[in-house]
Amino acid sequence: MYIGALTLDILLGDVRSLKQKRSVVRPLIAEVRRRYPSVAVAETGHLDLHRRAEIGVAVVSATAANCGEVLDACERLVAFHPEIELLSARQRLFNEDED
């Protein structure tokens, strides 16, 4: 069993309040959930900043290759949104044999 984790640090475009931030981030998270129902996704950081957001994505799979493919696809989906700028993406892979 492999667990893949993806952390996306994004900069939001013309956003001036936390309410506007929610109106950008919530549909983005919903789209990732809709396109990839096997992943867990949530806003995980920069909760008090109105122009920054951190989104976490997790997937469980039988193979490391499948974890990587799913996380790469999620990263591409987020990166292609014109209203945001992807500042960084970090992938981690864990397996049950690690202590």
Side-chain angles (χ1 to χ4, degrees), residues 1-93:
M1 175 177 66
Y2 291 90
I3 302 163
L6 172 66
T7 304
L8 302 168
D9 188 11
I10 60 176
L11 178 67
L12 305 172
D14 188 28
V15 173
R16 290 181 168 64
S17 70
L18 291 175
K19 187 174 183 178
Q20 285 180 325
K21 174 185 177 178
R22 275 195 313 274
S23 72
V24 174
V25 173
R26 289 176 110 187
L28 182 61
I29 289 172
E31 183 178 355
V32 172
R33 282 185 182 140
R34 186 176 61 252
R35 295 267 313 263
Y36 303 100
S38 64
V39 304
V41 59
E43 184 177 3
T44 57
H46 305 304
L47 301 175
D48 294 334
L49 302 176
H50 66 275
R51 292 209 57 221
R52 295 275 301 272
E54 181 183 270
I55 296 175
V57 180
V59 64
V60 177
S61 178
T63 66
N66 187 53
C67 277
E69 290 171 11
V70 171
L71 294 178
D72 287 341
C74 291
E75 180 181 341
R76 282 192 303 273
L77 176 66
V78 171
F80 286 133
H81 278 262
E83 70 272 14
I84 66 162
E85 179 182 346
L86 182 60
L87 298 176
S88 69
R90 180 176 175 218
Q91 284 191 25
R92 291 171 304 236
L93 186 64

Side-chain angles (χ1 to χ4, degrees), residues 2-3 93-99:
Y2 291 90
I3 302 163
L93 186 64
F94 307 95
N95 66 20
E96 61 187 343
D97 296 330
E98 292 179 355
D99 291 328

